[in-house]
Amino acid sequence: MVQLLLHTFLQGSPINLSKIIFFILFNTLVLSASVQTYKNRANELKLHEKHYWQLLLHMNDGVSEIDDKNFFLSQTGATDAKSELEATLEAFFSGTTLDSNSTVCKFPARYRWLKEQLHARDFPVGECIEYDKIFKRVDPVSTTLVFPSAHINSPASMFGHTFLRINSSYHSKLLSYAINYAANANTETENGVVFAIKGLVGGYFGKYSLLPYYEKLKEYRDSEQRDIWEYDLNLSQEETIRMFEHIWELNGTYSDYFFFTENCSYNMLWLLEIARPTLHLRDGFNYQVLPLETVFETENQELIISKGYRPSKRTKLLKYESLLNSNNLHYPVDIVDNNFNVKEVINSKEIEHEQKKYILESAIEYLEYRFTKAKVSKENYLLLFHTLTSQRAKLGSAKPLQIETPQNPLSSHRSIRFQAGVGLNEGESIAYLGIRPTYHDLEDSHYGFLRGTQIEFLNLLLSQTKTKSKVEKATIVSIVSLAQRSTFFKSFSWRTKMGWENNSIDDATAFSASVGAGYSWGNEFAYIYFLIDPIFYVKDGFMGAIGGSVGLNIDKYSFMQTNLEATHRFYDNGVEQTLLFASQGFRTSQNTQLVLKYDYKDKYIISKKVSQERFQLMFKYFY
Amino acid sequence: MKKLLLSLAAVATLSVTAFAANTQTGCGLGGQVIKSPNSAVMFALQATTNGTSGNQTFGITSGTSGCTKAKLVMNERASEFVASNMDILAKEISVGHGESLDTLAELLKVEDKAMFTASLQANYNKIYSSQSVEMADVLDNISATAL
């Protein structure tokens, strides 16, 4: 109507400057009237206070967690949801172009929501070529939560990692795109400890990346040797698309990265809440956001439809170890590490045909493993890879490896542990009470955990007899990594501990720190380990010792485990000490355990050697 | 404050190895990410928290920029997929099965997958004709032998 009037007016007389000015002013008036109308309506409806608007801005108590100014259209947008909303509306209408650089195209989630809420009919329509291209490529249909679990010799990776996979209409999941949030740090140039400190206190930016799933598998499953767990979520296609629109808004933005709180998993929860705003997944997390705990939360809120598993390269190699006859085990290693001629295996009359296939297949896997660890040069890798694959192709087809799916991490115990128990300490009865915020030790049920790994922070145990209260232990940090050596894996084992405990030669609880190294071997039934630990105690000065430990852990059965350890120490004041620990644990449910313990400690009370024996019955509860 | 305390408590234990961030897959074999810790101590303190292997982008643009284009196969996604999965495809073709191989079959709209994989395995040396073969060669060779 307005256009018609304008057209008539302009046609009536020759174009001159005043008409042009009028035209511009008129349009601006019309448009600003339009924006003003929307702003007024938005204020009436208090849209800036609505939950979804707060979600889109990543607001937490009125302050956005996004630290990048480019995410906001208003100068005060990060702390003022209302000004951000108004600035967004203004930006929609005031842009000189409506191409991929326009606000309309860069903020599709805000655009859609505001248009819906305002029942708008004349929002400008953008020509969003870039967004359309990426949308077509990603083709969002459904969503899967992916959890790469721990990898060997890195107990901290027990906490895992999560990212989301946006499934497309392709049958193959490899072609889906994965959205990932990670600290943007150049670990090549950065010192490891500096990286840890900066990552913990927000010294890095976290950024989002969108990459094909096959790239993530190459990284986590193959290079880092981590088993991959997949959890298909019940988000609808519409919800997945809504989430993707917001992901596009996050393109290129950064936030301060905190390992413990605003980390990878936490930001995945934001995305799920954007997909379905009735979800409140972040509420339960106060001091720490452990990736696996976020997976538990999606399970609690009944989002998981089905579960999947992809074995890591390490798991595959271990499978080959079990399939190869014991006298054939040396061939793949010799081929890759010792220049053994592949033809000798091919031409051998002694080796069975199926064994030849296993030898070549495992040699290829082992070769890739050694290459990614920089133990084989690229030149040699290419030559040997070509030889092995060509020869293997001539041996014909084979059934795929049947790898049994291990216990799902969702069946493992939760991270906070309470324990209560009673004991007999040299004939005297004693009560125990303990708490530990995170995460898992070797005496806890191993169900769903990587074998031989332990990581604990702030483990506190108090005791009470008729006459005395005592702090039995207050561990600040304790990490153990017992990696069993086998044909393909010549790993070493290690452990470290820091905190207060009472294994010293006197009866008091003292501060100590130790680090140990050694080896471990095992089979499906149990594993043994040998470690040498230098240790020092701080109490009225320093006291040092070297300890040697041998241990056995029987963990074949899921409902129970037996831990035995014998240690002998040589102190710097000439004194020797024997320590024995035994524990028999039962997994009474996913989050409860009953443990019987015995320990024996040599102590020197007023220069006299005394043997202290203790029995304990502990009940553990995980939350 | 609590955050800071928890952080400090974890400092020494969550350090990370330095690894060569190599996400440029190139067009031939051997494009894997090499992760080699620069010392035994760093290895012991290894804690990958987040796969920070460098490429924090929206990687939609093709991984074949810089690779010679195949002559017989005009399929952008197939080209991208092959370029980024040269080694795993070689491996799966040589054993006659695998998920990446199935994915390639889907991308090339192969009708008889069983015949496709059998033909590829039988002709492995015609497809991965040498250790320096590249994506374009592999796709063209696949086209010549099995499509």
Side-chain angles (χ1 to χ4, degrees), chain A residues 134 137 151 154 156 161 171-172 175 183 187-188 192 195-196 200 209-210 218-219 223-224 226 257 264 287 310 365 368 372 381-382 386 389-390 393 396 398 479 494, chain B residues 2 7 13-16 18-19 25 32-35 43-44 46-48 50-53 57 59-60 77 80 84 87 91 94 97 99 103 106 121 124-125 128 131:
Chain A
I134 205 175
R137 171 58 82 101
H151 72 96
S154 171
H161 175 54
H171 182 70
S172 168
L175 299 171
T187 46
E188 244 185 296
F195 176 86
L200 289 167
S209 65
L210 191 65
K218 278 158 70 182
E219 183 183 352
S223 192
E224 291 186 10
R226 299 161 83 158
Y257 187 93
C264 54
Y287 303 114
R310 286 169 192 275
E365 294 285 346
E368 285 185 303
T372 57
Y381 168 79
L382 291 174
H386 183 69
T389 46
S390 310
I479 303 182
W494 60 278
Chain B
K2 275 191 176 97
S7 303
T13 59
L14 286 181
S15 44
V16 170
F19 38 74
T25 52
Q32 289 92 328
V33 177
I34 311 293
K35 290 204 173 194
F43 175 75
Q46 192 170 22
T48 51
N50 248 316
T52 52
S53 52
T57 62
I60 299 298
R77 283 207 82 168
E80 237 180 79
S84 296
D87 301 67
K91 194 168 55 176
S94 78
H97 58 78
E99 195 183 5
T103 305
E106 188 178 356
Q121 188 185 33
Y124 181 83
N125 275 313
Y128 279 86
Q131 70 256 34

Coordinates of all heavy atoms in Angstrom, one line a residue, chain A residues 134 137 151 154 156 161 171-172 175 183 187-188 192 195-196 200 209-210 218-219 223-224 226 257 264 287 310 365 368 372 381-382 386 389-390 393 396 398 479 494, chain B residues 2 7 13-16 18-19 25 32-35 43-44 46-48 50-53 57 59-60 77 80 84 87 91 94 97 99 103 106 121 124-125 128 131:
Chain A
I134 N 26.4 -25.0 4.0 CA 26.8 -25.8 5.2 C 25.7 -26.6 5.6 O 25.8 -27.8 6.0 CB 27.5 -24.9 6.3 CG1 28.4 -25.8 7.1 CG2 26.4 -24.3 7.2 CD1 29.1 -25.0 8.2
R137 N 25.3 -29.5 3.3 CA 26.4 -30.5 3.5 C 26.2 -31.3 4.8 O 26.3 -32.5 4.8 CB 27.7 -29.7 3.6 CG 28.9 -30.5 4.0 CD 29.1 -31.7 3.1 NE 29.8 -31.4 1.8 CZ 31.1 -31.6 1.6 NH1 31.8 -32.1 2.6 NH2 31.6 -31.3 0.5
H151 N 42.3 -43.5 27.6 CA 43.3 -44.3 26.9 C 44.5 -44.6 27.9 O 44.7 -43.9 28.9 CB 43.8 -43.6 25.7 CG 44.6 -42.4 25.8 ND1 46.0 -42.4 25.8 CD2 44.3 -41.1 26.0 CE1 46.4 -41.1 26.0 NE2 45.4 -40.3 26.1
S154 N 47.1 -42.9 30.6 CA 46.7 -41.5 30.8 C 45.5 -41.5 31.7 O 44.4 -41.4 31.2 CB 46.4 -40.8 29.5 OG 45.8 -39.5 29.8
A156 N 44.2 -39.4 33.6 CA 43.3 -38.2 33.6 C 42.4 -38.3 32.4 O 41.3 -37.7 32.5 CB 44.2 -37.0 33.4
H161 N 35.8 -37.4 27.3 CA 35.5 -36.3 26.5 C 34.2 -36.5 25.9 O 33.8 -37.7 25.7 CB 36.6 -36.1 25.5 CG 36.4 -35.0 24.5 ND1 36.2 -33.7 24.8 CD2 36.4 -35.1 23.1 CE1 36.1 -33.0 23.7 NE2 36.2 -33.8 22.7
H171 N 23.5 -43.4 5.1 CA 23.5 -44.5 6.0 C 24.8 -44.6 6.8 O 24.8 -44.8 8.0 CB 23.4 -45.8 5.1 CG 23.3 -47.0 5.9 ND1 22.2 -47.4 6.6 CD2 24.2 -48.0 6.1 CE1 22.4 -48.5 7.2 NE2 23.6 -48.9 6.9
S172 N 25.9 -44.2 6.2 CA 27.2 -44.2 6.9 C 27.3 -43.1 7.8 O 27.1 -41.9 7.5 CB 28.3 -44.2 5.8 OG 29.5 -43.9 6.5
L175 N 30.2 -40.1 7.5 CA 30.0 -38.9 6.8 C 29.3 -37.8 7.6 O 29.1 -36.7 7.1 CB 29.2 -39.2 5.5 CG 29.9 -40.2 4.5 CD1 28.9 -40.6 3.4 CD2 31.2 -39.6 4.0
A183 N 39.9 -26.6 24.0 CA 40.8 -25.5 24.3 C 41.7 -25.2 23.1 O 42.3 -26.2 22.5 CB 41.7 -25.8 25.5
T187 N 49.8 -27.0 21.7 CA 50.6 -27.8 22.6 C 52.0 -28.2 22.1 O 52.8 -28.7 22.8 CB 49.8 -29.1 22.9 OG1 49.4 -29.7 21.7 CG2 48.6 -28.8 23.8
E188 N 52.2 -27.8 20.8 CA 53.6 -28.1 20.3 C 54.6 -27.1 20.9 O 55.7 -27.4 21.2 CB 53.5 -27.8 18.8 CG 53.8 -29.1 18.0 CD 53.9 -28.7 16.5 OE1 52.9 -28.3 15.9 OE2 55.0 -28.9 15.9
G192 N 54.1 -28.5 28.8 CA 53.0 -29.3 29.3 C 52.4 -28.8 30.6 O 51.2 -28.8 30.8
F195 N 50.5 -25.6 30.1 CA 49.2 -25.9 29.5 C 48.2 -26.3 30.5 O 47.1 -25.8 30.5 CB 49.4 -27.0 28.4 CG 48.1 -27.4 27.8 CD1 47.6 -26.8 26.7 CD2 47.4 -28.5 28.3 CE1 46.4 -27.2 26.1 CE2 46.2 -28.9 27.7 CZ 45.8 -28.3 26.6
A196 N 48.6 -27.1 31.5 CA 47.7 -27.6 32.5 C 47.2 -26.5 33.3 O 46.0 -26.3 33.6 CB 48.4 -28.7 33.4
L200 N 43.4 -25.0 33.4 CA 42.6 -25.1 34.6 C 42.0 -23.7 35.0 O 40.9 -23.7 35.6 CB 43.4 -25.7 35.7 CG 43.7 -27.2 35.5 CD1 44.8 -27.6 36.5 CD2 42.5 -28.0 35.7
S209 N 34.5 -26.6 16.8 CA 34.9 -27.0 15.4 C 33.9 -28.0 14.9 O 33.2 -28.7 15.7 CB 36.3 -27.7 15.5 OG 36.3 -28.9 16.2
L210 N 33.7 -28.0 13.6 CA 32.8 -28.8 13.0 C 33.5 -29.6 11.9 O 34.0 -29.1 11.0 CB 31.7 -28.0 12.3 CG 30.4 -28.7 11.8 CD1 29.6 -29.3 13.0 CD2 29.5 -27.6 11.1
K218 N 39.7 -40.8 13.5 CA 41.2 -41.0 13.2 C 42.0 -40.4 14.4 O 43.0 -41.0 14.8 CB 41.5 -40.2 11.9 CG 41.3 -40.9 10.6 CD 41.1 -40.0 9.4 CE 42.4 -39.4 9.0 NZ 42.2 -38.5 7.9
E219 N 41.4 -39.4 15.0 CA 42.1 -38.7 16.1 C 42.0 -39.5 17.4 O 43.0 -39.9 18.0 CB 41.5 -37.3 16.3 CG 42.2 -36.5 17.4 CD 41.5 -35.2 17.6 OE1 40.6 -34.8 16.8 OE2 41.9 -34.5 18.5
S223 N 44.6 -42.6 16.6 CA 45.9 -42.0 17.1 C 46.0 -42.1 18.6 O 47.0 -42.4 19.2 CB 45.9 -40.6 16.6 OG 47.2 -40.0 16.8
E224 N 44.9 -41.8 19.3 CA 44.9 -41.8 20.8 C 44.5 -43.1 21.3 O 44.5 -43.3 22.6 CB 44.0 -40.7 21.3 CG 44.6 -39.3 21.1 CD 43.9 -38.2 21.7 OE1 43.0 -38.5 22.6 OE2 44.2 -37.0 21.4
R226 N 41.6 -44.7 21.8 CA 40.6 -44.7 22.8 C 39.3 -45.4 22.3 O 38.9 -45.2 21.1 CB 40.2 -43.3 23.2 CG 41.4 -42.5 23.8 CD 41.2 -41.0 23.7 NE 40.3 -40.5 24.8 CZ 40.4 -39.3 25.2 NH1 41.1 -38.4 24.6 NH2 39.6 -38.9 26.2
Y257 N 38.2 -21.1 28.5 CA 38.1 -22.5 28.7 C 38.6 -22.9 30.1 O 39.6 -22.6 30.5 CB 38.9 -23.3 27.6 CG 38.7 -24.8 27.6 CD1 37.8 -25.4 26.8 CD2 39.5 -25.6 28.5 CE1 37.6 -26.7 26.8 CE2 39.3 -26.9 28.5 CZ 38.3 -27.5 27.7 OH 38.1 -28.8 27.7
C264 N 34.5 -29.0 27.5 CA 33.9 -29.6 26.3 C 32.4 -30.1 26.6 O 31.5 -29.8 25.9 CB 34.7 -30.8 25.9 SG 35.0 -32.0 27.1
Y287 N 30.4 -27.9 40.9 CA 31.8 -27.6 41.0 C 32.7 -28.3 39.9 O 33.8 -27.9 39.6 CB 32.4 -28.0 42.4 CG 31.6 -27.4 43.5 CD1 30.8 -28.1 44.3 CD2 31.7 -26.0 43.6 CE1 30.1 -27.4 45.3 CE2 31.0 -25.3 44.6 CZ 30.2 -26.1 45.4 OH 29.5 -25.4 46.4
R310 N 32.7 -48.5 19.4 CA 33.8 -48.7 18.3 C 35.1 -49.0 19.0 O 35.6 -48.1 19.8 CB 33.9 -47.5 17.5 CG 32.8 -47.2 16.5 CD 32.9 -45.8 16.0 NE 31.7 -45.5 15.3 CZ 31.4 -45.8 14.0 NH1 32.3 -46.4 13.3 NH2 30.3 -45.5 13.4
E365 N 48.1 -53.1 11.3 CA 47.6 -52.3 12.5 C 48.8 -51.8 13.3 O 48.9 -50.7 13.7 CB 46.6 -53.1 13.4 CG 45.3 -53.4 12.7 CD 44.3 -52.3 12.6 OE1 44.6 -51.2 13.2 OE2 43.4 -52.4 11.8
E368 N 50.8 -49.1 11.6 CA 50.2 -47.8 11.8 C 50.4 -47.2 13.2 O 50.7 -46.0 13.3 CB 48.7 -47.9 11.5 CG 48.3 -48.0 10.0 CD 46.8 -48.0 9.8 OE1 46.1 -48.8 10.4 OE2 46.4 -47.2 9.0
T372 N 52.3 -43.7 14.0 CA 51.7 -42.6 14.7 C 52.5 -42.3 16.0 O 52.4 -41.2 16.5 CB 50.2 -42.8 15.1 OG1 50.1 -44.0 15.9 CG2 49.4 -43.0 13.9
Y381 N 57.4 -46.6 6.4 CA 55.9 -46.8 6.6 C 55.3 -47.1 5.3 O 54.6 -48.1 5.1 CB 55.2 -45.7 7.3 CG 53.7 -45.8 7.3 CD1 53.0 -46.6 8.2 CD2 53.0 -45.0 6.4 CE1 51.7 -46.7 8.1 CE2 51.6 -45.1 6.3 CZ 51.0 -46.0 7.2 OH 49.6 -46.1 7.1
L382 N 55.5 -46.2 4.3 CA 54.8 -46.3 3.0 C 55.2 -47.6 2.3 O 54.3 -48.3 1.8 CB 55.1 -45.1 2.1 CG 54.6 -43.8 2.6 CD1 55.1 -42.7 1.7 CD2 53.1 -43.8 2.5
H386 N 52.5 -50.8 1.9 CA 52.1 -51.2 0.5 C 52.4 -52.7 0.4 O 51.5 -53.5 -0.1 CB 52.9 -50.5 -0.5 CG 52.5 -50.8 -1.9 ND1 51.3 -50.5 -2.4 CD2 53.2 -51.5 -2.9 CE1 51.3 -50.9 -3.7 NE2 52.4 -51.5 -4.0
T389 N 49.7 -54.7 2.6 CA 48.3 -54.7 2.1 C 48.2 -55.5 0.7 O 47.3 -56.2 0.5 CB 47.8 -53.2 1.9 OG1 48.8 -52.5 1.2 CG2 47.5 -52.6 3.2
S390 N 49.3 -55.3 -0.1 CA 49.2 -56.1 -1.4 C 49.2 -57.6 -1.1 O 48.4 -58.3 -1.7 CB 50.4 -55.8 -2.2 OG 50.7 -54.5 -2.4
A393 N 45.8 -58.8 0.4 CA 44.8 -58.8 -0.6 C 44.8 -60.2 -1.3 O 43.7 -60.7 -1.7 CB 44.9 -57.7 -1.6
G396 N 42.8 -63.3 0.2 CA 41.3 -63.5 0.1 C 40.6 -62.9 1.3 O 41.2 -62.3 2.2
A398 N 38.0 -62.3 4.6 CA 37.9 -62.9 5.9 C 36.7 -62.3 6.7 O 36.3 -61.2 6.3 CB 39.2 -62.6 6.7
I479 N 47.4 -40.9 41.5 CA 47.2 -41.4 40.2 C 48.0 -42.7 40.0 O 49.1 -42.8 40.4 CB 47.7 -40.4 39.1 CG1 47.0 -39.1 39.3 CG2 47.4 -40.9 37.7 CD1 47.4 -38.0 38.3
W494 N 53.2 -46.8 36.1 CA 53.7 -45.7 37.0 C 52.6 -45.3 38.0 O 51.4 -45.6 37.8 CB 54.2 -44.5 36.2 CG 53.1 -43.9 35.4 CD1 52.7 -44.3 34.2 CD2 52.3 -42.8 35.7 NE1 51.7 -43.5 33.7 CE2 51.5 -42.5 34.6 CE3 52.2 -41.9 36.8 CZ2 50.5 -41.5 34.6 CZ3 51.3 -40.9 36.8 CH2 50.4 -40.7 35.7
Chain B
K2 N 36.3 -21.7 44.9 CA 36.3 -23.2 44.9 C 36.9 -23.7 43.7 O 37.7 -24.6 43.7 CB 34.9 -23.7 45.1 CG 34.5 -23.7 46.6 CD 33.2 -24.5 46.7 CE 32.8 -24.7 48.2 NZ 31.8 -23.7 48.7
S7 N 41.3 -26.3 40.9 CA 42.2 -26.2 39.8 C 43.6 -26.5 40.3 O 44.4 -27.2 39.7 CB 42.1 -24.9 39.1 OG 40.8 -24.6 38.7
T13 N 49.1 -32.8 37.7 CA 48.7 -34.1 37.1 C 48.0 -33.9 35.8 O 47.9 -34.9 35.1 CB 47.7 -34.8 38.1 OG1 46.5 -33.9 38.2 CG2 48.3 -35.0 39.4
L14 N 47.6 -32.7 35.5 CA 46.9 -32.7 34.2 C 47.7 -32.0 33.1 O 47.2 -31.3 32.2 CB 45.5 -31.9 34.4 CG 44.4 -32.7 35.1 CD1 43.2 -31.9 35.2 CD2 44.2 -34.0 34.3
S15 N 49.0 -32.1 33.2 CA 49.7 -31.6 32.1 C 49.6 -32.5 30.8 O 49.2 -33.6 30.9 CB 51.2 -31.4 32.5 OG 51.6 -32.5 33.2
V16 N 50.0 -31.9 29.7 CA 49.7 -32.6 28.5 C 51.0 -32.8 27.7 O 51.9 -32.0 27.8 CB 48.7 -31.7 27.7 CG1 48.6 -32.2 26.3 CG2 47.4 -31.7 28.4
A18 N 53.4 -32.7 24.5 CA 53.5 -31.9 23.3 C 53.4 -32.9 22.1 O 54.1 -33.9 22.1 CB 54.8 -31.2 23.2
F19 N 52.5 -32.7 21.2 CA 52.5 -33.6 20.1 C 52.4 -32.8 18.8 O 52.0 -31.6 18.8 CB 51.3 -34.5 20.2 CG 50.0 -34.0 20.7 CD1 49.2 -33.1 19.9 CD2 49.6 -34.4 21.9 CE1 48.0 -32.6 20.5 CE2 48.4 -33.9 22.5 CZ 47.6 -33.0 21.7
T25 N 46.1 -33.8 5.8 CA 46.1 -35.2 5.5 C 46.8 -35.4 4.1 O 47.3 -36.5 3.8 CB 44.7 -35.8 5.3 OG1 44.0 -34.9 4.5 CG2 44.0 -35.8 6.7
Q32 N 48.4 -39.9 8.7 CA 47.9 -40.0 10.1 C 48.5 -38.9 11.0 O 49.5 -38.3 10.7 CB 48.3 -41.3 10.7 CG 47.5 -42.5 10.2 CD 48.3 -43.2 9.0 OE1 49.0 -42.5 8.3 NE2 48.1 -44.5 8.9
V33 N 47.8 -38.6 12.1 CA 48.2 -37.7 13.1 C 49.3 -38.3 13.9 O 49.1 -39.4 14.5 CB 47.1 -37.2 14.0 CG1 47.6 -36.3 15.1 CG2 46.0 -36.6 13.2
I34 N 50.5 -37.7 13.9 CA 51.6 -38.3 14.7 C 51.6 -37.7 16.1 O 51.6 -36.5 16.2 CB 53.0 -38.0 14.0 CG1 52.9 -38.3 12.5 CG2 54.1 -38.7 14.7 CD1 52.8 -39.7 12.2
K35 N 51.6 -38.6 17.1 CA 51.6 -38.0 18.4 C 52.8 -38.6 19.2 O 52.7 -39.8 19.6 CB 50.3 -38.4 19.2 CG 49.1 -37.6 18.6 CD 48.0 -37.5 19.6 CE 46.9 -36.5 19.0 NZ 45.9 -36.1 19.9
F43 N 55.4 -38.0 28.8 CA 54.6 -39.2 28.5 C 53.8 -39.7 29.7 O 52.6 -40.0 29.7 CB 55.5 -40.3 28.0 CG 54.8 -41.6 27.7 CD1 53.9 -41.7 26.6 CD2 54.9 -42.7 28.6 CE1 53.3 -42.9 26.4 CE2 54.2 -43.9 28.3 CZ 53.4 -44.0 27.2
A44 N 54.5 -39.7 30.9 CA 53.9 -40.1 32.1 C 52.8 -39.2 32.5 O 51.8 -39.7 33.1 CB 55.0 -40.2 33.2
Q46 N 50.9 -37.6 30.6 CA 50.0 -37.5 29.4 C 48.5 -37.4 29.9 O 48.0 -38.2 30.6 CB 50.2 -38.7 28.5 CG 49.5 -38.6 27.2 CD 50.0 -39.7 26.3 OE1 50.4 -40.7 26.8 NE2 49.9 -39.5 25.0
A47 N 47.9 -36.4 29.4 CA 46.5 -36.3 29.8 C 45.8 -35.5 28.6 O 45.7 -34.3 28.7 CB 46.3 -35.6 31.1
T48 N 45.4 -36.2 27.6 CA 44.7 -35.5 26.6 C 43.3 -35.1 27.1 O 42.5 -36.0 27.5 CB 44.5 -36.3 25.3 OG1 44.0 -37.5 25.7 CG2 45.9 -36.5 24.7
N50 N 41.2 -33.0 25.5 CA 40.3 -32.6 24.5 C 40.7 -32.6 23.1 O 40.2 -31.9 22.3 CB 40.0 -31.1 24.8 CG 38.6 -30.9 25.2 OD1 37.7 -31.5 24.7 ND2 38.4 -30.1 26.2
G51 N 41.6 -33.5 22.7 CA 42.0 -33.6 21.3 C 42.3 -32.2 20.7 O 41.7 -31.8 19.8
T52 N 43.2 -31.5 21.3 CA 43.5 -30.2 20.8 C 44.5 -30.3 19.7 O 45.6 -29.8 19.8 CB 44.1 -29.3 21.9 OG1 45.2 -30.0 22.5 CG2 43.1 -29.0 23.0
S53 N 44.1 -31.0 18.6 CA 45.1 -31.2 17.6 C 45.1 -30.1 16.6 O 45.3 -30.3 15.4 CB 44.9 -32.6 16.9 OG 43.5 -32.7 16.5
T57 N 38.2 -25.4 13.5 CA 37.4 -24.6 12.5 C 36.1 -25.3 12.1 O 35.9 -26.4 12.6 CB 38.2 -24.5 11.2 OG1 38.4 -25.8 10.7 CG2 39.5 -23.8 11.4
G59 N 35.2 -27.1 9.5 CA 35.9 -27.7 8.3 C 35.0 -28.3 7.2 O 35.0 -29.5 6.9
I60 N 34.2 -27.4 6.6 CA 33.3 -27.9 5.6 C 34.0 -27.9 4.3 O 33.7 -28.7 3.4 CB 32.0 -27.0 5.6 CG1 31.3 -27.1 6.9 CG2 31.1 -27.4 4.4 CD1 30.8 -28.4 7.3
R77 N 32.3 -35.4 -2.8 CA 32.4 -36.0 -1.4 C 33.2 -37.3 -1.5 O 33.9 -37.6 -0.5 CB 31.0 -36.2 -0.9 CG 30.4 -34.9 -0.4 CD 29.4 -35.1 0.7 NE 30.0 -35.3 2.0 CZ 29.3 -35.2 3.1 NH1 28.0 -35.0 3.0 NH2 29.8 -35.4 4.3
E80 N 36.8 -36.2 -1.4 CA 37.2 -35.7 -0.1 C 37.4 -36.9 0.8 O 38.3 -37.0 1.6 CB 36.0 -34.9 0.5 CG 36.3 -33.5 0.9 CD 35.1 -32.9 1.4 OE1 34.7 -33.1 2.6 OE2 34.5 -32.1 0.7
S84 N 41.0 -38.2 2.6 CA 41.2 -38.2 4.0 C 41.3 -39.6 4.6 O 41.5 -39.7 5.8 CB 40.1 -37.4 4.7 OG 40.2 -36.1 4.3
D87 N 44.7 -44.5 3.9 CA 45.3 -45.7 4.5 C 44.2 -46.7 5.0 O 44.3 -47.9 4.8 CB 46.1 -45.3 5.7 CG 47.2 -44.4 5.3 OD1 46.9 -43.2 4.9 OD2 48.4 -44.8 5.4
K91 N 43.6 -50.5 3.7 CA 43.6 -51.7 4.6 C 42.3 -52.5 4.4 O 42.3 -53.7 4.3 CB 43.6 -51.1 6.0 CG 43.9 -52.1 7.1 CD 44.3 -51.4 8.4 CE 43.2 -50.4 8.9 NZ 43.5 -49.8 10.2
S94 N 42.1 -54.4 1.2 CA 43.0 -55.6 1.2 C 42.3 -56.7 2.0 O 42.6 -57.9 1.7 CB 44.4 -55.2 1.8 OG 44.3 -55.1 3.2
H97 N 36.6 -56.0 3.6 CA 35.4 -55.5 4.3 C 35.8 -54.3 5.1 O 37.0 -54.2 5.5 CB 34.8 -56.6 5.2 CG 35.7 -57.2 6.2 ND1 36.1 -56.6 7.3 CD2 36.4 -58.3 6.2 CE1 37.0 -57.3 8.0 NE2 37.2 -58.4 7.3
E99 N 34.0 -50.5 7.3 CA 33.0 -49.4 7.3 C 33.4 -48.3 6.3 O 32.5 -47.7 5.7 CB 32.9 -48.8 8.7 CG 31.7 -47.9 8.9 CD 31.6 -47.3 10.3 OE1 32.6 -47.5 11.1 OE2 30.6 -46.6 10.5
T103 N 31.2 -47.0 3.2 CA 30.9 -45.6 3.0 C 31.3 -45.2 1.6 O 30.5 -44.5 0.9 CB 31.7 -44.8 4.0 OG1 31.5 -45.2 5.3 CG2 31.4 -43.3 3.9
E106 N 28.7 -46.3 -0.7 CA 27.5 -45.5 -0.6 C 27.6 -44.2 -1.4 O 26.7 -43.8 -2.1 CB 27.1 -45.2 0.8 CG 25.8 -44.5 1.0 CD 25.4 -44.3 2.5 OE1 26.2 -44.7 3.4 OE2 24.4 -43.6 2.7
Q121 N 39.2 -56.1 -3.9 CA 40.2 -56.8 -3.2 C 41.1 -57.6 -4.2 O 42.3 -57.6 -4.2 CB 39.6 -57.8 -2.2 CG 40.7 -58.5 -1.4 CD 40.1 -59.6 -0.4 OE1 39.1 -60.2 -0.7 NE2 40.7 -59.7 0.7
Y124 N 43.5 -55.3 -5.9 CA 44.2 -54.3 -5.0 C 45.4 -53.6 -5.7 O 45.5 -52.4 -5.6 CB 44.6 -55.0 -3.7 CG 45.3 -54.0 -2.8 CD1 44.5 -53.2 -1.9 CD2 46.6 -53.9 -2.8 CE1 45.1 -52.3 -1.1 CE2 47.2 -53.0 -1.9 CZ 46.5 -52.2 -1.1 OH 47.1 -51.3 -0.2
N125 N 46.2 -54.4 -6.3 CA 47.4 -53.8 -6.9 C 47.2 -52.9 -8.1 O 48.1 -52.1 -8.4 CB 48.4 -54.9 -7.3 CG 49.2 -55.4 -6.1 OD1 49.8 -54.5 -5.4 ND2 49.3 -56.7 -5.9
Y128 N 45.7 -49.5 -5.6 CA 46.9 -48.9 -4.9 C 48.1 -49.5 -5.5 O 48.8 -50.4 -5.0 CB 46.8 -49.3 -3.4 CG 45.8 -48.5 -2.6 CD1 44.4 -48.8 -2.5 CD2 46.2 -47.3 -1.9 CE1 43.5 -48.1 -1.8 CE2 45.3 -46.6 -1.2 CZ 44.0 -46.9 -1.2 OH 43.1 -46.2 -0.5
Q131 N 53.3 -47.2 -3.4 CA 53.2 -46.6 -2.1 C 53.0 -45.0 -2.2 O 52.6 -44.4 -1.3 CB 54.4 -46.9 -1.2 CG 55.7 -46.2 -1.6 CD 56.6 -47.2 -2.3 OE1 56.1 -48.1 -3.0 NE2 57.9 -47.0 -2.1

